[in-house]
Amino acid sequence: MSIIEVNGLHKEFLIAKRETGVMGAIKSLFKREFTKKEAVKDISFSIEKGEMVGYIGPNGAGKSTTIKMLTGILVPSAGEVTVNGIIPYENRQANAKNIGVVFGQRTQLWWDLPTIESFELLKAIYRVPDKRYKENMAIFQEILGLDEFINTPVRQLSLGQRMRADIAASLLHDPPILFLDEPTIGLDVVAKEKMRTFIQEINREKQVTVILTTHDMEDIEKLCQRMVLIDHGQKVYDGEILAVKERFGKMRTLVVDLEETSKQLYVTGGALVKQEGYRYWIRFNRDEISASDLITQISQTHNIKDLTVEEPVIESIISRIYQEGFTEQHETVHI
Amino acid sequence: MGQLNMYWTFTKKAFLRSSVYRFEVWSRTGSNLIFLVMWGSIWTALYAGKEEAAGVSFTAMLTYIVVSKFLDGVNEAGTPLWDIQEKVRTGDISLELMRPFDVPLRYLFADFGSVAFYMLTALLPIYFLLFLFMDLTLPTDGFTWIYFILSAFLGFLIRYCVEMTFGLLTFFLVETGGIEDIFYFAMSLLSGSVIPLWFFPGWLETIALYLPFQSIFFLPISIFIGEINGSQIFTSLGIQFFWLVVCYLILRLVWNRASHKVVVQGG
């Protein structure tokens, strides 16, 4: 059995409808009407031990709602969830010992105490044996450099230090599963890189299963082999990241700067998607026409000052999936 | 055993945490003493040189106020109502649902730590000096001391249950001003913290006697100054124990409803 099983998961919320105007306000004192909002609609996936999965989607897609159901602090309206063999909402405290959670936006450390005190508190909460505690702390100090600031109160830590402390705190009790909610938000490039290395290392050494939600596509590209993409509460894609790139990655964009004074450019085999002065963006399908053919074609009629070919980054692929849906893409271009 | 050890760690860390806020300790002590002086002066003026009012001597009344302000200090060192409301609003309390502990108990044990720190560093030394230099009545036998401490502890637990319950109501309300008003009204007047119940008009006294709030201030202080004595002490402790059970059950009920709401409605 997979370590995480989600089957036909469904969650709807009732939202109190506010009526406008004085009469509406008076009416709502006595009778409230509710509208249903479906945050998660029929999502299914399973995750194997040791996998690192990117769980992504635009704001309000239902990401945190799903994560909350996996942690047990939200009961599904319908469908099944099992996390490490436990139904989270039925057995919240037992589930808690199997999971580690990091929220990039808030800390689980005690704000006003030296960082070490929070670790000692968590040691007591999760009843981590002394030996285990020492071993784990040694690992965290080595990889995350915790000892630099272990005696500093949490409120005086920099964001990067705080995140390092937070992720260490979530792993202190050796949970087999780790939920990371935007673990690199607000970090600088170096700190992000450190964080990613650590996550990779933990995944490799301890076989921790990681579910990562993020808006930073670099996180996904560097950490995950697989991604689950959701939008409007529904699963849009579930599979390898490479496959997405393959499927959507055929499109390239050629950017050319022409000599000023040139006349309007027309091309065949590519689509002119944008023009700013003498700079043109031409989208083309790699399978249909090569970049060099396109360049040759343009250079016959115009003088090219400068050019670049842009490869699609995963980010733009995803934003296109949000907008257009995940359908086989086939663009024939004609001007 | 492991369970108790975990909650005990909360007590220890809260004790430590209190030591971070030294300024808060001093400002809280300052305002506590100012209110003590204020109420002391008011009662001195009200007695206007009379030895006795409603069968209670001036010295006993002054002692009543001093003990009351001491208990006030003890109770205020716990997590205040606004803090609980804030934790509900920001969702911090909901997040604690995914930890392997019981949330109301965890806050209670943390409060033990904060209270212990405040008592040791400020309240006990200062009130010891007050009793040394002021003309106040102290219980003469050891048993009264024990009953007083027991009664005050029951009062503290009742106050905790009530305050936590009021705080958790934030889960169900859009605005909580009304809740705060009721809580502070009950805590300052109906508990007998500044005016003993025997000075209340008959009808108000009856109301206060049938509510849990008198257990927090009025009963323990009355035991201390000897207004409640003999077998009445046991009746009082019985009443307090009864209210503790009731308030605890209400807290549990509200907490279950609140956490149910979180897990179903997302807070």
Side-chain angles (χ1 to χ4, degrees):
Chain A
M1 200 174 133
S2 314
I3 197 161
I4 295 177
E5 292 261 21
V6 174
N7 219 324
L9 195 63
H10 207 90
K11 180 74 202 173
E12 55 190 33
F13 296 110
L14 290 179
I15 294 168
K17 211 154 74 182
R18 299 242 153 217
E19 288 182 54
T20 47
V22 179
M23 282 314 288
I26 294 170
K27 234 171 85 187
S28 72
L29 270 180
F30 301 99
K31 192 169 168 262
R32 284 263 203 95
E33 278 179 43
F34 293 95
T35 44
K36 240 187 246 174
K37 184 181 176 269
E38 292 183 295
V40 170
K41 298 177 226 171
D42 194 30
I43 286 186
S44 305
F45 56 81
S46 60
I47 293 171
E48 301 302 321
K49 188 170 165 51
E51 265 195 285
M52 276 212 263
V53 177
Y55 194 64
I56 47 188
N59 291 328
K63 290 186 305 268
S64 351
T65 309
T66 316
I67 300 291
K68 278 182 180 170
M69 286 191 274
L70 291 172
T71 59
I73 57 174
L74 207 54
V75 181
S77 311
E80 291 150 31
V81 204
T82 32
V83 174
N84 210 17
I86 292 175
I87 299 174
Y89 60 92
E90 278 181 1
N91 209 337
R92 209 162 47 218
Q93 298 208 357
N95 188 50
K97 297 191 175 176
N98 289 331
I99 59 171
V101 185
V102 177
F103 292 100
Q105 310 270 34
R106 51 169 110 209
T107 181
Q108 52 188 324
L109 308 166
W110 266 20
W111 201 238
D112 11 44
L113 285 182
T115 315
I116 183 75
E117 303 291 344
S118 288
F119 283 91
E120 278 172 11
L121 187 65
L122 288 165
K123 172 180 182 281
I125 291 174
Y126 290 97
R127 306 206 202 136
V128 184
D130 285 328
K131 190 167 163 273
R132 225 9 192 317
Y133 176 75
K134 276 191 197 124
E135 285 168 5
N136 280 346
M137 288 304 279
I139 297 174
F140 300 147
Q141 302 203 331
E142 194 192 310
I143 317 180
L144 292 168
L146 286 194
D147 37 353
E148 289 167 37
F149 52 85
I150 198 88
N151 290 315
T152 316
V154 174
R155 69 189 135 82
Q156 287 172 12
L157 298 184
S158 73
L159 186 62
Q161 292 173 327
R162 206 215 78 204
M163 284 307 305
R164 277 188 270 165
D166 250 309
I167 197 165
S170 72
L171 288 164
L172 195 64
H173 58 292
D174 287 316
I177 300 156
L178 180 63
F179 296 110
L180 299 171
D181 191 8
E182 307 214 30
T184 59
I185 194 164
L187 299 186
D188 65 49
V189 188
V190 182
K192 270 185 185 173
E193 211 40 63
K194 264 190 203 162
M195 190 59 92
R196 288 175 191 142
T197 317
F198 178 70
I199 297 169
Q200 261 165 342
E201 212 143 322
I202 280 296
N203 171 260
R204 201 174 44 230
E205 309 248 306
K206 300 200 168 194
Q207 283 294 299
V208 178
T209 309
V210 180
I211 295 192
L212 173 73
T213 74
T214 183
H215 288 288
D216 188 329
M217 292 309 149
E218 239 184 294
D219 285 350
I220 301 281
E221 269 183 293
K222 295 210 165 137
L223 292 175
C224 310
Q225 295 84 45
R226 173 181 166 197
M227 71 177 189
V228 176
L229 188 63
I230 63 164
D231 193 16
H232 294 106
Q234 278 168 320
K235 196 166 84 173
V236 186
Y237 176 78
D238 181 354
E240 280 185 61
I241 289 176
L242 271 178
V244 177
K245 274 190 147 179
E246 274 294 300
R247 200 156 176 184
F248 285 85
K250 292 173 188 159
M251 299 309 287
R252 297 278 186 280
T253 306
L254 173 70
V255 187
V256 284
D257 285 350
L258 300 182
E259 287 283 345
E260 286 148 39
T261 71
S262 344
K263 54 185 190 305
Q264 181 64 32
L265 174 71
Y266 294 99
V267 283
T268 45
L272 196 59
V273 287
K274 200 168 142 194
Q275 178 185 4
E276 261 172 32
Y278 292 95
R279 175 171 287 187
Y280 294 81
W281 281 262
I282 299 147
R283 200 156 76 183
F284 63 99
N285 187 330
R286 184 178 68 172
D287 291 349
E288 289 168 3
I289 186 166
S290 72
S292 63
D293 286 349
L294 207 56
I295 295 163
T296 318
Q297 186 197 130
I298 297 169
S299 60
Q300 279 165 4
T301 46
H302 295 76
N303 286 329
I304 300 175
K305 246 168 66 178
D306 196 6
L307 64 87
T308 45
V309 179
E310 287 176 355
E311 248 189 88
V313 281
I314 193 100
E315 191 164 354
S316 69
I317 293 174
I318 284 162
S319 74
R320 292 198 56 199
I321 299 179
Y322 291 157
Q323 284 158 21
E324 300 162 19
F326 189 83
T327 42
E328 185 63 49
Q329 193 187 26
H330 193 83
E331 264 176 271
T332 349
V333 181
H334 28 214
I335 297 274
Chain B
M1 196 48 230
Q3 280 279 345
L4 193 65
N5 193 23
M6 171 182 82
Y7 291 114
W8 179 238
T9 312
F10 276 105
T11 307
K12 286 190 286 190
K13 299 300 170 196
F15 187 91
L16 261 176
R17 178 182 174 274
S18 304
S19 66
V20 176
Y21 292 107
R22 271 174 305 181
F23 179 73
E24 197 185 315
V25 168
W26 292 120
S27 64
R28 211 189 297 140
T29 311
S31 84
N32 182 282
L33 289 176
I34 288 168
F35 276 102
L36 174 64
V37 170
M38 189 185 93
W39 281 103
S41 317
I42 289 173
W43 280 105
T44 310
L46 285 174
Y47 266 74
K50 273 186 287 182
E51 274 303 303
E52 223 184 77
V56 178
S57 71
F58 174 65
T59 324
M61 187 58 230
L62 206 58
T63 313
Y64 186 102
I65 283 299
V66 174
V67 177
S68 170
K69 283 297 130 193
F70 174 78
L71 291 182
D72 211 16
V74 170
N75 279 299
E76 276 181 1
T79 316
L81 181 63
W82 62 263
D83 198 17
I84 304 166
Q85 292 176 330
E86 198 58 27
K87 289 198 161 77
V88 173
R89 274 191 209 115
T90 56
D92 283 355
I93 267 201
S94 318
L95 280 187
E96 296 203 32
L97 282 173
M98 63 185 179
R99 296 250 183 238
F101 53 62
D102 178 66
V103 176
L105 259 185
R106 159 247 186 282
Y107 278 102
L108 176 64
F109 274 80
D111 276 5
F112 285 155
S114 326
V115 169
F117 181 84
Y118 189 49
M119 270 175 75
L120 288 176
T121 55
L123 286 178
L124 286 175
I126 289 170
Y127 280 82
F128 176 76
L129 290 178
L130 281 178
F131 273 95
L132 210 57
F133 291 109
M134 282 173 72
D135 188 16
L136 301 168
T137 46
L138 279 174
T140 42
D141 69 308
F143 281 112
T144 313
W145 274 105
I146 293 170
Y147 295 139
F148 164 72
I149 291 170
L150 184 62
S151 173
F153 183 61
L154 287 171
F156 174 81
L157 293 178
I158 292 170
R159 197 273 317 157
Y160 174 78
C161 292
V162 172
E163 194 155 1
M164 198 66 183
T165 305
F166 274 79
L168 291 175
L169 290 176
T170 312
F171 272 114
F172 308 96
L173 301 164
V174 181
E175 53 97 39
T176 48
I179 285 294
E180 271 168 59
D181 290 346
I182 295 171
F183 178 74
Y184 287 113
F185 171 74
M187 285 303 285
S188 57
L189 187 68
L190 293 174
S191 68
S193 75
V194 285
I195 305 168
L197 262 53
W198 59 72
F199 286 119
F200 282 17
W203 59 273
L204 189 60
E205 188 185 358
T206 315
I207 292 175
L209 285 176
Y210 283 99
L211 288 172
F213 307 106
Q214 61 147 344
S215 296
I216 304 167
F217 288 98
F218 181 70
L219 293 180
I221 306 170
S222 298
I223 291 174
F224 188 92
I225 62 170
E227 274 300 303
I228 291 175
N229 51 43
S231 64
Q232 285 175 316
I233 291 179
F234 299 104
T235 319
S236 301
L237 290 174
I239 292 172
Q240 285 185 297
F241 192 71
F242 166 78
W243 277 116
L244 177 59
V245 173
V246 172
C247 292
Y248 178 74
L249 291 177
I250 294 174
L251 169 63
R252 278 285 144 199
L253 182 77
V254 171
W255 171 245
N256 286 344
R257 295 297 300 265
S259 45
H260 181 75
K261 186 169 183 288
V262 171
V263 297
V264 174
Q265 266 297 302

